[in-house]
Amino acid sequence: MTYVAPGDPHELARSVRAGFADHYGREASVVGRAPGRVNLMGEHTDYNHGLVLPVALPHATYAAARLRDDPADGLVRVASAQQAEPWEGQLAAVGPGTVDGWAAYAAGMVWALHERGHEIPGVDLYVDSTVPLGAGLSSSAALECSVGVAVAVALGLPLTPELRRDLVSAGMAAETEIVGAPTGGMDQTIAMLGEAGAALVIDFDLPEDRGRSTQVRLGLARHSLLVTDTRVSHALVDGGYGQRRADCEEAAAVLGLSSLRDADLDAVARIADDRVRRRARHVVTEIARVRECVDALAAGDLDSLGRLFADSHLSMRDDFEISCPELDVAVAVAVEAGAVAARMTGGGFGGSSVAVVPDERVDAVARAIDAAFALEGFTPPGHLRAEPSPGAGLEG
Ligand code: GLA
């Protein structure tokens, strides 16, 4: 059993600078870093104007950047240590649906900054990442936000709290408008605003790109967060995520509400359509679980935490229908092997689980999941230790 290493930030910054220099034959002027995330509670609640409770991972994406010398050139070039195909194109030509694949997140972020009134003469970018791709750990927001930080700082903007907020909404615009993934704002918010040693409770009651966030210190003495990547691929641009969002909108409309945030469970129980009723029930109960989870974490109340994680997983499996056999096995086996709490995390349809495990049981739990996956004939999973880490910044 092995853990995916987050890597040393200084080393990674050095290596992304070297990759930039190799690729473009000149030096980068800045390196931005932005983390992946694991969500502890509140799935598919962000776009319903509810609450979420993510932590930033130590695993991050590093983006080396240098503005183009000729202010009139307008060229954007992106390359990645993880991707065979670099991309280049004119900034003026970037728009919804014009860039395919991974490069859309990076080019989309440059586009979003330009849309927000920043004069960009063109830019070269080279990225490297230790966030597992397609694992439901928000590698996309890490890419967007690392590029956003690098380009903004290359433009001479100081990384103030206001700029961090702007980069959250720029990242959301890149993802929803250029990539075409109808996601909420959790991933960009935690990537930009995460704090070492803490989770963030983010309230999306306000317009989505202005989610209010408050730190929650994790009262989890002698316990660790173990993340298991099932290696079942997940892509938010596929239909399932958008369908869930449409179901939620339908439920809100049936109830005569603008969102499910304040929906009442008795009213939800009267929704005639079975599928729509179950989707709404997940969202309403999940928002309540975020509030309870905040209290349980603050109090170090592991029994409540275990119950909340278990209820959340069942709600996602049965009502929201976004789990899969690999996630169900990872969660059940984690608890059998000594985790105090476990649930699937992220958008679903594959991706990762998260478990709260006594420090001395972490290796045993990971090994038990490996053994169960082998027995079931599943692809071997990957594991990460999720030490709550700081949000985006400059590196090296
Ligand atoms: C993805 C989206 C988020 C959120 C989660 C589910 O990560 O990007 O906005 O909706 O799924 O909680």
Side-chain angles (χ1 to χ4, degrees), residues 31-56:
V31 175
R33 181 194 61 82
R37 63 99 189 91
V38 60
N39 190 21
L40 300 184
M41 191 58 70
E43 237 57 83
H44 290 257
T45 48
D46 54 358
Y47 58 78
N48 285 299
H49 293 255
L51 296 126
V52 295
L53 188 62
V55 301

Side-chain angles (χ1 to χ4, degrees), residues 310-335:
D311 289 352
S312 173
H313 187 78
L314 290 181
S315 178
M316 289 189 279
R317 190 190 70 184
D318 300 338
D319 277 353
F320 220 62
E321 296 182 281
I322 54 172
S323 190
C324 63
E326 290 82 352
L327 285 168
D328 295 341
V329 166
V331 166
V333 171
V335 172

Side-chain angles (χ1 to χ4, degrees), residues 37 39 41-48 51-52 136-138 140-141 172 175 181-188 204 234 236 241 245 282 286 316 320 322 343-348:
R37 63 99 189 91
N39 190 21
M41 191 58 70
E43 237 57 83
H44 290 257
T45 48
D46 54 358
Y47 58 78
N48 285 299
L51 296 126
V52 295
L137 300 174
S138 193
S140 1
M172 289 175 67
E175 186 141 348
T183 54
M186 164 168 68
D187 305 343
Q188 294 80 6
F204 288 93
H234 111 136
L236 296 180
Y241 186 96
R245 191 166 176 154
H282 164 72
E286 185 83 348
M316 289 189 279
F320 220 62
I322 54 172
R343 64 190 280 280
M344 60 153 283
T345 182

